[in-house]
Amino acid sequence: MPHIAPSKFMDVRFPKVGEGADSGKVVSVLVKVGDTISAGQTILELESEKAIAPIPSPAGGKITAISVKEGDTIQVGAVLLSLEGADGAAAPAAKAPAPKAASAPRA
């Protein structure tokens, strides 16, 4: 029996988007099951008390399930969708590298 490497799966959850923004109403879902998305791609739009905000995916991969629909009111931490082959499932969001200290001039 051949060895098959396990796929990476990831649930994408509603992140805290700002102070006091603990919930919101789904205005539109911009992806569907079977779509392949990239990290940073907007997956839905959410309306809070202050504005409508795009919600990006923290990782790329193939969408295997969508857990919300237009009109749903969701809380921070709610599962939005599930990805297979997630390219960032275990890694935190990438940060810009720290600037290198200037080296002393050589004489």
Side-chain angles (χ1 to χ4, degrees):
M1 182 175 210
H3 175 70
I4 299 173
S7 296
K8 292 185 195 177
F9 289 91
M10 174 184 187
D11 285 337
V12 175
R13 296 181 180 275
F14 173 43
K16 186 158 180 81
V17 292
E19 193 63 37
D22 294 331
S23 67
K25 182 178 178 180
V26 178
V27 175
S28 59
V29 178
L30 305 173
V31 295
K32 62 185 181 302
V33 172
D35 285 356
T36 299
I37 61 171
S38 57
Q41 180 176 338
T42 301
I43 54 175
L44 60 86
E45 293 176 316
L46 194 77
E47 182 177 22
S48 67
E49 292 178 10
K50 298 180 182 181
I52 295 176
I55 304 299
S57 177
K62 182 178 178 182
I63 299 173
T64 58
I66 297 178
S67 304
V68 297
K69 63 185 181 306
E70 291 179 14
D72 285 354
T73 298
I74 58 174
Q75 303 292 321
V76 168
V79 175
L80 304 176
L81 54 84
S82 298
L83 294 175
E84 178 181 10
D87 65 8
K95 294 183 180 179
K100 293 183 179 180
S103 57
R106 294 185 175 169

